[in-house]
Amino acid sequence: MKSVALIVALVASAVDGGAPPLEQARHWLRLGVPHKALETLQAAHLAEPRPDQPLHAGILGQAAAGAGEAALAQRALEPLRDHPQLPPLARLAVEARYLAVCTLPCSRRPIPDADVQAAPLPLQARLLTALARTDAPAALGLSRTLERSEPWKGATPGWQRAELLAAMHTAHTAAGDTSGARALAITAWETVPAEPAVSTILGALPDEVVAAEVGPARSVVHLEALLAANRNDDVVRFGELLCRTGVTTATAVCPALPDELRCQAGFAVGKAQRQSRRYAQAEQTLSVVAERCPTQAPRALFLQGRAMVAQKGGGKRAMAVLEQLAAKHPDSNLADDALVLAGETAARNGLRAAAHKYWGTVVEKYPQADLHMEAGWWLAWSTLEGGKTAQALTRLDAICKEADGKNKPLWRRATYWRARLTSEVKTARNRMTELVEKHPGSYEAALARGWLRRGGTPARSGADLPAAPPPLTPPAALDAVTASALALSSVGMDEDAALLLRGSALLTTGARTDGADLWVAQQMLAVGDAAGASQWVRRQRAAQLLGAPMAETAHVWQLAYPPAFAAAITSAAEAAGIPPALLFALAREESAFDPRITSWAGAVGLTQLMPSTALAEALSLKLQKPDHVALLDPALNARLGAAHLARHLRQFHGNVALALAAYNAGPGAVARWVERKGDAPLDMFVEQIPIEETRGYVKRVLESYSIYTLLRGATPLELPEKVSDRMLEL
């Protein structure tokens, strides 16, 4: 069988062979392939240290360390340890890398506790691990200093807290402090039990032993940490162990636990049962939680209703439970959600009058609710499906007026269908054109462009972006973390720079008024952290991404839709014969470009592959069987995800919408939908996808696909008229 080396070969085709060797090596380091970086330097006779060239020193040191050439890495990094232009945090990063490779015994520079405490958790973890190797007593002292702030309780990502806990555990173990090491292992068990960084540590801690040792309160924290990490099977198993006599009885929730913990545990298990598709069990568990736990009752009833909806013949039971939620808890923020879901359930069961009643109640009685206008949309759509086009148009007119300026996504949807249904061609053309010009990257604009072209009036793109926006102006003053990040980047230590940039003080609410946050995001992009840049801008600049891309918002759009993992995704797409823009869009919506993420259903990595799917695609490509860790590699994950998407595209005659639906819901479900409604227009077919998650997913990925083509100056996406129309040739 071919190995993952094939993936490296594919990625190599995307590395700029015309760039100087030092930059090529730096690019390989960003891709996480240090041995290729070292080979590049060796081929260019650049594999000997040059103390007077800091950039060369940083790149060579990292490449040699990653390739296992410790002595060479030590010699290369040595001059950077005291480099006068590196501020304290930057020197700390250099010291961590140096201590990780130096020949024992090796000299150590003073490491002030204050500098370490100011560093991000991954850098603290790296330094602690290196210190444990070279100076165990110093590592133990530093670990104890850091432990006082209890960093595992912070809001930082779980993988960062896990790496630091693992490093602390290593420091205590190296110094012979077994009791301290065990206490840290139990803390990891309690707070980050699903993170790969602590898996080895936790392997020696049986759940039943730890639970008996720490008591019910900390055991419930462990249970909820498993739930937050989408380890649903583990939640159910441990919940049953914790409750002993059963998670629920006919009259009680988890009776083995103290009163204040019973409902937390019961709700966690019920939610995990639903998420792991044990719908009947979830229904039973959540029904008792809803009855016995007033605080959890609204959430329990809502999830109970969703569990019933997923069962064959459970629709009417679900409607009754959702109606009960709204009646008993009218002030809950889930009351309108429950009625909208009840309406969708009634509609799917052919109970149109009941559906209208539920949605009408939301429209009339919940004017401030977040789903108020959404309920109005469903009323309009159901009226249209019932053949009452004129009445549907009236409702759509009302939605357009109410949503204008308040809910742009709903305005787009209502405007498209209002134009699509009218018999006045000129009015329809004007509205479709307005939609394209105001929201050119949207899913609805892609539909409108197709409609306009079929009518003989192709639309302009609607975007007004420079090909390459000029660099943003740096802020007048930089905080210590940001300054250290730039210094690290200047010596080629991009990974360390990216870690610091995510902790920049300029990423604050106040700084956004002068564009400082965008400048920091641009620096993230420059050091290869496109995922971090994209996620920040998507969260903090969301309002600017709802209209048309313009020159003044060019940076926002380019950063929100970056070419993250460009070499891996481009190579994977080309190998599979699909447009790179489509694979960028899929990865963006599946994982937000976070290659470490695991979904509640168990999907892993950049393109969110289920392990069984990844195995099947690896076998078809004659690659080695991928384990969980291998699937966290962006290059391999992108290759397998691209192959899987291409398989669906071939099955569904190159129709991207159908292929995306199959990627999310499975090809069997899509084949059944096509069999029942394959003669419907494509826009109608997508709106009638019976699974809400899949319906929204198809629209989001098509929208991102459209925006990626738009921002890069390619022909804007136009969606076809029919389900049977081919969009791509494979």
Side-chain angles (χ1 to χ4, degrees):
M1 297 180 75
K2 298 178 184 177
S3 70
V4 179
L6 172 62
I7 304 302
V8 172
L10 290 168
V11 174
S13 66
V15 177
D16 185 2
L22 203 60
E23 284 303 311
Q24 290 185 45
R26 187 177 196 172
H27 191 67
W28 281 117
L29 288 174
R30 287 177 179 172
L31 294 174
V33 194
H35 73 275
K36 291 295 295 183
L38 184 58
E39 289 174 8
T40 300
L41 295 174
Q42 290 170 334
H45 306 290
L46 294 174
E48 282 301 316
R50 300 181 180 184
D52 59 332
Q53 297 182 24
L55 180 62
H56 177 268
I59 292 174
L60 177 60
Q62 293 173 95
E69 300 288 342
L72 176 58
Q74 180 180 348
R75 288 189 290 120
L77 291 170
E78 178 68 47
L80 292 181
R81 300 173 75 195
D82 300 307
H83 194 282
Q85 295 181 2
L86 292 181
L89 275 181
R91 286 199 297 271
L92 199 66
V94 173
E95 190 71 4
R97 288 191 177 273
Y98 178 84
L99 294 177
V101 297
C102 64
T103 304
L104 299 177
C106 55
S107 64
R108 180 168 67 80
R109 300 291 190 269
I111 302 175
D113 286 351
D115 290 346
V116 180
Q117 289 171 320
L121 267 58
L123 182 51
Q124 293 177 352
R126 186 175 297 163
L127 181 64
L128 263 181
T129 302
L131 265 181
R133 171 182 176 270
T134 58
D135 189 341
L140 179 61
L142 180 58
S143 178
R144 286 174 172 167
T145 297
L146 294 175
E147 288 169 41
R148 290 192 199 83
S149 65
E150 299 184 306
W152 49 84
K153 292 184 177 180
T156 49
W159 66 267
Q160 294 187 9
R161 289 179 277 129
E163 286 185 353
L164 183 56
L165 278 164
M168 289 174 170
H169 184 275
T170 298
H172 282 261
T173 302
D177 181 10
T178 55
S179 62
R182 179 175 175 79
L184 287 164
I186 290 175
T187 297
W189 176 90
E190 181 182 4
T191 58
V192 286
E195 292 295 335
V198 296
S199 59
T200 301
I201 298 171
L202 300 186
L205 293 178
D207 285 343
E208 56 272 20
V209 173
V210 181
E213 181 177 338
V214 303
R218 294 180 70 180
S219 294
V220 171
V221 173
H222 168 75
L223 185 75
E224 293 184 328
L226 288 171
L227 181 65
N230 294 317
R231 293 281 288 270
N232 298 303
D233 290 342
D234 290 335
V235 171
V236 174
R237 179 189 55 78
F238 184 70
E240 292 171 348
L241 181 153
L242 196 60
C243 296
R244 292 198 299 273
T245 57
V247 177
T248 59
T249 67
T251 58
V253 177
C254 208
L257 289 179
D259 290 346
E260 67 273 14
L261 299 174
R262 291 175 182 174
C263 292
Q264 283 178 257
F267 179 79
V269 172
K271 184 175 181 180
Q273 287 170 333
R274 192 197 72 82
Q275 290 182 163
S276 57
R277 298 185 172 90
R278 306 179 192 190
Y279 299 121
Q281 293 178 9
E283 177 183 347
Q284 179 181 357
T285 301
L286 292 166
S287 67
V288 182
V289 172
E291 183 180 351
R292 298 293 173 180
C293 303
T295 302
Q296 280 86 3
R299 291 187 299 160
L301 286 168
F302 187 71
L303 291 183
Q304 183 187 355
R306 294 189 67 180
M308 291 171 169
V309 167
Q311 298 177 63
K312 185 176 181 180
K316 290 185 178 180
R317 297 201 317 277
M319 289 158 55
V321 164
L322 294 167
E323 195 171 342
Q324 178 187 354
L325 191 167
K328 286 189 173 182
H329 308 279
D331 297 329
S332 168
N333 59 7
L334 286 173
D336 59 311
D337 300 67
L339 290 172
V340 169
L341 178 57
E344 293 179 43
T345 305
R348 280 198 295 273
N349 284 271
L351 304 171
R352 194 180 304 277
H356 284 214
K357 177 184 175 183
Y358 290 127
W359 293 326
T361 300
V362 176
V363 171
E364 294 171 12
K365 295 186 178 181
Y366 294 88
Q368 305 303 319
D370 58 342
L371 292 185
H372 167 75
M373 286 186 274
E374 191 73 19
W377 157 259
W378 282 114
L379 274 173
W381 182 256
S382 180
T383 302
L384 172 64
E385 288 185 313
K388 300 178 180 179
T389 304
Q391 189 176 340
L393 279 169
T394 300
R395 292 188 183 277
L396 289 170
D397 278 329
I399 293 172
C400 286
K401 291 176 183 177
E402 185 176 7
D404 193 14
K406 299 177 183 176
N407 187 329
K408 291 181 179 180
L410 188 57
W411 180 88
R412 296 194 312 247
R413 199 189 318 169
T415 297
Y416 171 78
W417 283 100
R418 185 176 63 168
R420 163 86 155 72
L421 296 173
T422 186
S423 58
E424 300 174 5
V425 176
K426 183 178 179 180
T427 300
R429 186 185 302 120
N430 290 341
R431 286 172 176 167
M432 292 287 193
T433 301
E434 179 187 18
L435 177 57
V436 170
E437 291 181 349
K438 285 186 175 181
H439 301 278
S442 66
Y443 163 73
E444 290 81 9
L447 289 171
R449 274 192 292 269
W451 186 93
L452 288 167
R453 182 173 293 279
R454 291 191 295 274
T457 55
R460 61 187 289 279
S461 72
D464 182 21
L465 284 176
L472 292 159
T473 303
L478 300 179
D479 60 285
V481 173
T482 307
S484 296
L486 297 185
L488 287 169
S489 179
S490 73
V491 295
M493 297 181 66
D494 294 327
E495 179 188 357
D496 303 84
L499 289 177
L500 291 179
L501 284 170
R502 290 196 180 200
S504 169
L506 297 174
L507 297 178
T508 64
T509 303
R512 290 205 301 273
T513 59
D514 60 6
D517 64 318
L518 293 180
W519 180 84
V520 173
Q522 194 172 70
Q523 306 316 304
M524 289 182 182
L525 194 60
V527 298
D529 187 14
S534 172
Q535 290 171 29
W536 171 263
V537 172
R538 289 175 72 175
R539 288 194 304 269
Q540 304 301 330
R541 297 278 183 158
Q544 292 174 294
L545 297 170
L546 291 175
M550 296 179 290
E552 56 266 33
T553 58
H555 289 291
V556 176
W557 285 88
Q558 298 284 8
L559 289 165
Y561 293 86
F565 304 101
I569 287 178
T570 300
S571 297
E574 291 175 351
I578 63 178
L582 177 56
L583 191 56
F584 277 118
L586 181 138
R588 182 184 189 270
E589 300 310 319
E590 284 282 359
S591 66
F593 295 126
D594 181 353
R596 296 172 178 262
I597 196 169
T598 299
S599 78
W600 65 265
V604 181
L606 196 62
T607 63
Q608 287 291 276
L609 291 168
M610 294 297 291
S612 58
T613 301
L615 174 60
E617 294 300 345
L619 291 175
S620 72
L621 295 171
K622 296 182 170 56
L623 299 176
Q624 291 176 348
K625 177 181 177 180
D627 59 15
H628 181 88
V629 174
L631 290 177
L632 300 179
D633 174 60
L636 178 61
N637 196 288
R639 181 69 180 96
L640 299 177
H644 192 55
L645 179 59
R647 181 185 303 278
H648 294 321
L649 282 164
R650 289 190 293 271
Q651 179 177 354
F652 294 104
H653 50 265
N655 188 297
V656 177
L658 297 184
L660 291 173
Y663 196 97
N664 181 264
V670 178
R672 291 192 297 273
W673 302 338
V674 171
E675 184 178 356
R676 289 199 300 265
K677 295 185 178 291
D679 58 346
L682 181 65
D683 54 6
M684 184 76 73
F685 179 90
V686 171
E687 292 293 348
Q688 292 176 327
I689 289 176
I691 301 176
E692 179 184 5
E693 176 193 340
T694 303
R695 186 169 61 246
Y697 173 84
V698 169
K699 293 180 181 182
R700 288 195 307 275
V701 180
L702 286 173
E703 186 161 302
S704 281
Y705 181 24
S706 179
I707 291 170
Y708 269 104
T709 59
L710 196 67
L711 296 184
R712 283 147 183 80
T715 302
L717 180 66
E718 295 180 1
L719 291 174
E721 181 179 11
K722 301 175 182 177
V723 171
S724 58
D725 287 339
R726 183 179 296 274
M727 295 174 63
L728 294 176
E729 296 288 343
L730 275 83

